[in-house]
Amino acid sequence: MYNNVGQSNFFGYTDFSTFKRLETLNLGGNAFTGCIPEDMWAPPSLKALYLYGNKLSGSLLKQSLCGLKDLQHLDLSYNEFGGTLPQCLGNLTSLTFLDLHNHLEGVFSFNYSSLEVIGLSSNKITFENGWISSFQLRALIMQDYGLESIPEFLFHQFKLEVLDLSHNKLKGRFPYCMTYLNLARNHFEGDLLFSAGDDCKLIALDLSHNNFSGEVPERLLSNCISLSYLRLSHNNFHGQIALFNLTRIADLQLNDNQFEGTLSSLLTNFNHQSYGPEVLHLSNNRLHGEIPHWMGNFTRLEYLNLRHNFFQGQISCQLLSTGIEYLDLSYNSFSGLLPSCSNGNSLRQINLQGNRFSGSIPEALLNISTLNSLDLSDNELSGTILNKSGENLSGLRVLLLRGNHFNGFIPNWLCHLNDVNLLDLSRNSFSGSIPHCLYNLSFAREGEGHLYDTPFSDKLFGLVIEYRGSKETHLDNTGLFEAEVDEESEFVTKYRADTYKNKALNYMSGLDLSDNNLTDSCINLLHNQLTGSIPRSFANLSQIESLDLSYNILSGQIPVELIDLNFLEAFSVAHNNLLGRIPDMKGQFSTFESKSYEGNPFLCGTQVRRKCHDDNDEPSPSQMESPQEASGKWYKIDREIFLASFSVTFIMFFLSVIIILYVNPYWQQKLIYHTRRHLFSCYYFSYDNLVKLFV
């Protein structure tokens, strides 16, 4: 009998012990809370119990659990169990699979004769010194365990197929005798010492995020012919690398090293094959050359990242027709026209930033209906953007075109991008007015689904453990490989350009049209020639975090409704013709300094140290000076009062000098003496220079 309880929440309320012949009970992947009941709640006939992925807590020292002596599979992983590992679990002598991924402590000294799979991740369970197990494991998972050395008992395990010791502090040497080996995110350093012989059985090897250096051993690349998943990213490897006999490779990640060479030399044995890898991640290296034309034959290729290398040449339509979904060629030296292909209908994300592409955007590129991210920024593209319907790009979430030479009007089809999060057209030569329909775009989090929801992570492999009514444990590692990739876009927010990666992009939103030749009455742009008043409708952008309207010709008052923008962190209306009272220092407006308002001589308020003179907060025209005359002033001058006070002061000073000279004859003689002396000096100086000039 097999029960698989889905999302119903009745754990602790149903007595499963009444099912006398129940053998498998799966309550995993729910949100059950509380503790395992003390009383017997499951029948003794139970052979497989899955409680993974809940929020259960408390101790495991329960007779109701330790009394299930016929259990063969016990999965308590991904809960909140704590305390000491109960020794009564040693009574479960029939166990073949045990996963205790929680926060347990204690000593593991159980000698299950049939145990084949152990999962102990994130615990603080230790092993007795000199303890040698009586079982031969097929899989051991000890992630995030704080290990500083390979456990001694592992050297007596001769049937290991899967070993995951990632996220630890391991150093030194390690075995290669298994088929799946994950040692990512440890403290290994120095040269990679590879000792496997001609019978190398490795299928998956992950050594990423360590400090390995030197060259990759040739024996690894030539002897391990079954290797399908190879991850050496985020190390300090250098030199050239060639896959030699690794023609079965499905996932190759060598990013963030110092590898050199070309793609032709790296994939030397793939030039006549039609399958090739599914994931090819080579970013942040020193690779160069062109993309070989025969890579267009890789029908399995889904992810290609060559970011930050020295590649050049053009992109062929054949490459885009492979079924590829993610293409990142940013920050290289690719040039020429963008490919005009009608067969790239699998593409979801294209990043060509920081190259030297020229010409216009081909219509075929704007007809890829699956596309949700397009980054063509910082190239040499020019011309106008086609004014098309935009229906094919209705699912686009990111469109970055900044730093090119586009001109003409902003096309109206951009208004149909209802799900767009990031739209950047800055640093171009667009002219005319902004399409008013852009105001209807939410630029928020209302789009359905996530932009980056691919199953990419740092998980090397997954185990499907299936109980089939016998003591044999079936390991299924196929189809569960998850690739670790970086999906990133660069966007200017809060006056600086930042790169946002992976799921962080799901929470980003923004519109940047700065540094163009646009003219309009109401828009959020800096360094343009916008006129008119700031629209009160900006207050409806409840999620906005940065609003910069500086260096325009905006007039009128700052809408008080903007106080309600609770997420606003950067604000500037500097260098406009705004007037009246600045909104009260409430909410986020209490954080903005005077530089946010400088260059507006008719604004008043405590922020600019300028008192408002009346309740209307708007100076009358008779009181106003021109912006040129009043620039930089924080005070007002009454002309009549100024002339009167100046005249009185001058008369008083003159009379004071006369009185002093009259009262004191000595100072009077000194003044006459110095006056005559300076007059004679000036006379003779002028006379001598005039004689020299004309003689």
Side-chain angles (χ1 to χ4, degrees), residues 302-538:
E302 296 181 1
Y303 179 93
L304 177 61
N305 191 336
L306 304 180
R307 183 184 180 91
H308 273 298
N309 279 283
F310 300 98
F311 292 108
Q312 58 187 8
Q314 297 184 336
I315 303 176
S316 67
C317 285
Q318 192 174 6
L319 178 65
L320 302 184
S321 63
T322 58
I324 189 171
E325 296 183 9
Y326 184 98
L327 178 66
D328 189 343
L329 305 180
S330 59
Y331 294 106
N332 282 280
S333 296
F334 291 106
S335 58
L337 302 177
L338 293 175
S340 180
C341 314
S342 58
N343 49 2
N345 292 328
S346 299
L347 280 163
R348 296 175 54 204
Q349 298 156 36
I350 300 177
N351 189 347
L352 303 179
Q353 179 186 7
N355 283 282
R356 293 183 295 177
F357 291 107
S358 57
S360 59
I361 302 178
E363 183 177 1
L365 193 61
L366 300 177
N367 284 329
I368 302 177
S369 58
T370 56
L371 203 60
N372 58 26
S373 176
L374 177 61
D375 188 348
L376 302 178
S377 54
D378 299 315
N379 279 279
E380 299 174 7
L381 300 170
S382 59
T384 60
I385 300 178
L386 293 175
N387 196 1
K388 54 192 292 300
S389 64
E391 295 178 358
N392 291 332
L393 291 177
S394 58
L396 198 65
R397 305 285 294 277
V398 173
L399 179 59
L400 308 178
L401 303 179
R402 72 173 175 276
N404 284 283
H405 307 294
F406 293 116
N407 54 47
F409 296 104
I410 294 179
N412 288 325
W413 62 264
L414 294 178
C415 301
H416 298 287
L417 304 180
N418 295 321
D419 293 335
V420 70
N421 283 52
L422 297 177
L423 178 59
D424 191 346
L425 306 180
S426 63
R427 293 193 287 116
N428 281 283
S429 298
F430 290 111
S431 59
S433 60
I434 310 299
H436 287 274
C437 55
L438 280 182
Y439 307 152
N440 300 324
L441 296 179
S442 61
F443 294 100
R445 291 111 180 160
E446 298 177 2
E448 296 182 2
H450 287 299
L451 173 60
Y452 297 104
D453 57 357
T454 54
F456 295 140
S457 70
D458 63 355
K459 187 176 181 181
L460 176 60
F461 49 80
L463 288 177
V464 175
I465 309 298
E466 183 178 352
Y467 176 72
R468 298 183 179 176
S470 66
K471 286 193 174 183
E472 181 182 1
T473 300
H474 297 266
L475 302 184
D476 183 3
N477 296 302
T478 61
L480 289 175
F481 184 82
E482 296 180 352
E484 181 187 55
V485 298
D486 291 325
E487 299 146 334
E488 54 189 272
S489 293
E490 185 178 288
F491 191 74
V492 177
T493 59
K494 303 172 188 177
Y495 317 121
R496 68 178 185 268
D498 289 312
T499 298
Y500 299 91
K501 292 186 177 183
N502 303 324
K503 291 186 177 181
L505 285 166
N506 292 323
Y507 305 99
M508 289 299 303
S509 59
L511 168 67
D512 193 345
L513 303 177
S514 60
D515 292 306
N516 281 284
N517 298 317
L518 299 168
T519 57
D520 204 281
S521 57
C522 306
I523 199 64
N524 174 14
L525 298 169
L526 70 157
H527 281 292
N528 277 286
Q529 301 178 23
L530 304 178
T531 60
S533 60
I534 299 175
R536 299 181 185 276
S537 58
F538 276 164

Side-chain angles (χ1 to χ4, degrees), residues 89-331:
L89 289 181
N91 299 331
L92 309 181
T93 56
S94 299
L95 280 179
T96 61
F97 172 84
L98 175 63
D99 196 341
L100 300 175
H101 185 162
N102 281 279
H103 307 289
L104 301 170
E105 300 178 351
V107 179
F108 190 99
S109 59
F110 307 132
N111 273 313
Y112 304 116
S113 58
S114 303
L115 193 62
E116 296 182 346
V117 178
I118 301 181
L120 299 176
S121 298
S122 300
N123 288 295
K124 296 182 179 179
I125 300 173
T126 60
F127 300 91
E128 291 183 346
N129 291 331
W131 175 71
I132 299 177
S133 63
S134 61
F135 47 79
Q136 287 293 312
L137 292 174
R138 296 176 59 193
L140 173 64
I141 316 296
M142 297 177 67
Q143 296 179 355
D144 194 19
Y145 208 81
L147 292 174
E148 296 184 2
S149 60
I150 303 291
E152 184 179 351
F153 80 92
L154 270 183
F155 294 100
H156 302 278
Q157 298 294 321
F158 306 111
K159 295 183 179 180
L160 266 180
E161 300 176 24
V162 175
L163 177 60
D164 189 343
L165 302 179
S166 60
H167 297 263
N168 282 288
K169 303 176 182 178
L170 296 173
K171 299 179 181 179
R173 303 188 66 173
F174 48 87
Y176 289 91
C177 56
M178 59 287 303
T179 55
Y180 292 83
L181 177 60
N182 188 354
L183 298 176
R185 300 181 187 274
N186 277 282
H187 294 174
F188 293 107
E189 57 186 5
D191 292 341
L192 175 58
L193 302 177
F194 183 73
S195 58
D198 295 335
D199 59 342
C200 176
K201 300 177 181 178
L202 278 172
I203 295 177
L205 175 63
D206 191 346
L207 303 178
S208 62
H209 293 277
N210 282 285
N211 292 310
F212 287 112
S213 58
E215 297 187 358
V216 178
E218 184 176 335
R219 295 180 62 186
L220 171 64
L221 304 175
S222 58
N223 294 355
C224 299
I225 59 176
S226 298
L227 201 59
S228 297
Y229 312 116
L230 177 60
R231 296 180 181 172
L232 305 178
S233 57
H234 295 279
N235 281 284
N236 294 310
F237 289 115
H238 65 263
Q240 295 194 18
I241 182 172
L243 297 187
F244 294 109
N245 297 326
L246 304 186
T247 55
R248 300 183 184 179
I249 203 76
D251 187 291
L252 180 65
Q253 300 188 41
L254 306 178
N255 54 291
D256 293 275
N257 283 283
Q258 301 176 39
F259 289 118
E260 301 175 353
T262 64
L263 284 176
S264 297
S265 61
L266 173 65
L267 306 173
T268 182
N269 289 334
F270 286 84
N271 53 348
H272 298 298
Q273 297 185 6
S274 61
Y275 44 91
E278 298 176 18
V279 173
L280 191 57
H281 196 349
L282 306 176
S283 66
N284 297 300
N285 280 287
R286 300 177 180 176
L287 302 171
H288 62 274
E290 299 184 359
I291 299 178
H293 66 88
W294 40 262
M295 283 186 61
N297 298 326
F298 290 176
T299 56
R300 297 193 306 176
L301 187 62
E302 296 181 1
Y303 179 93
L304 177 61
N305 191 336
L306 304 180
R307 183 184 180 91
H308 273 298
N309 279 283
F310 300 98
F311 292 108
Q312 58 187 8
Q314 297 184 336
I315 303 176
S316 67
C317 285
Q318 192 174 6
L319 178 65
L320 302 184
S321 63
T322 58
I324 189 171
E325 296 183 9
Y326 184 98
L327 178 66
D328 189 343
L329 305 180
S330 59
Y331 294 106

Side-chain angles (χ1 to χ4, degrees), residues 670-684:
K670 281 287 186 182
L671 177 62
I672 296 172
Y673 170 80
H674 285 293
T675 303
R676 293 178 62 185
R677 180 181 178 183
H678 286 295
L679 287 174
F680 281 116
S681 297
C682 292
Y683 170 80
Y684 288 116

